[in-house]
Amino acid sequence: VFWVIGPPGAGKTAIAAWLAANRPQIAALHLCRYGDAQKSDPRRAIMSIAYQLSTQLPDYRDRLNALNLEKIARESNAKALFDGLIVQPLSEGAEPGRVMVVLIDALDEATQAGRNELAELIASEIEKVPRWLRLIITSRPEPEVQQPLQGLTPYTLDTSSPENEHDIRDFLARELEPYAAGKGVPPEAIGQIVAMSEGIFLYVEWIRQELAQKRLSLDRLSEFPRGLTGVYSQFFTRQFPAIDGFRTRISPVLEAVVAALEPLPIDLIGRIFKWDEYDQADFRQELGAMFPITEGKVQPFHRSVIDWLTDAGKAASYYIDRGSGHGRLSDYGWGEYA
């Protein structure tokens, strides 16, 4: 097992995506996602991984097809499913003659109710798979993951390392060139942005987007926020300068979004809050950058947005109470049932 840990926005998912696209040894990829009940369900992760492996190992596929898969999937818990779909069928066949790797990204986002069953499963069962099958996982350094995986030594993405700073400087010099009026990005500007980024790649990508939208300018570096928390604070302050209006119109919607166990469809939000088409358009315009609508569902652009909004000390007037969101969702559900 190779375990990569790093803080929010350090680039763990970018690394996972690059590996999946460029390394043929990656035989299966599972992207955990906070707030998505299916992508954080260990049983579904196992079934997805088993299917992906079966597309590359014909003998393994044949052994799976000989099983009563519907019965196994219906009756097995995660541990039994892992044994029945992966450990036993793989141990019965010949080695493929090459190393194959399963990649699980954002393992910490599979945590539910203070427990990460997928991390516990990896810790207790991974030694049972054949030696030619390897595992790469990425996560934040959170206790729900670190406790079950304490027998492993993680590789830490150090955002304060000289290598990370060098990469960020290269990124800024290349990507901000179009916004430097043909004069090249001034070294002092790069130095200031590097300092404000706190080593977080997500921050510098956000800066690039803001420059593209002309909401920031390299001539006004004093207006740049500091760190990801500064990005979120600046966004909400700019979008919603009137706190009363935010509390009346936006806060109730975000309560439901952060409480939901999977991404909420925009049409369901519309029914809960009795929106018309104009209300939906306003929501897209005001929160599109932070809560884009993908495949008809509202999702945070990064989990750290939810972390910031639900931290009263950081979000201050923009704090969102998850408990109130559960209340709104249950009231709506009860009304539908009645």
Side-chain angles (χ1 to χ4, degrees), residues 7 34 109 114 136 140 171 209 216 218 227 243 245:
Y34 173 79
E109 300 198 23
I136 296 175
R140 297 186 190 187
F171 177 88
Q209 294 178 27
L216 290 176
L218 291 175
I243 294 298

Side-chain angles (χ1 to χ4, degrees), residues 37-38 62 66 86 101 130 140-141 143 149 152 189 207 230 267 285-286 310 335 337:
Q38 295 198 29
D62 292 343
I86 294 180
V101 180
R140 297 186 190 187
L149 297 180
L152 302 176
I207 292 298
D267 59 349
Q285 182 176 350
E286 292 177 314
T310 55
Y337 173 77

Side-chain angles (χ1 to χ4, degrees), residues 23 161 180 235 251:
R23 288 289 182 260
S161 71
F235 175 88
S251 181

Side-chain angles (χ1 to χ4, degrees), residues 30 36-42 44-45 112 261-262:
H30 186 76
D36 190 319
Q38 295 198 29
K39 291 181 180 177
S40 60
D41 182 350
R44 290 198 173 266
Q112 296 185 24
L261 295 182
E262 57 188 39

Side-chain angles (χ1 to χ4, degrees), residues 82 86-87 90 125-134:
F82 187 79
I86 294 180
V87 174
L90 285 179
E125 304 300 311
I126 196 64
E127 290 297 326
K128 298 178 181 178
V129 303
R131 296 295 293 172
W132 52 263
L133 187 65
R134 313 293 172 81

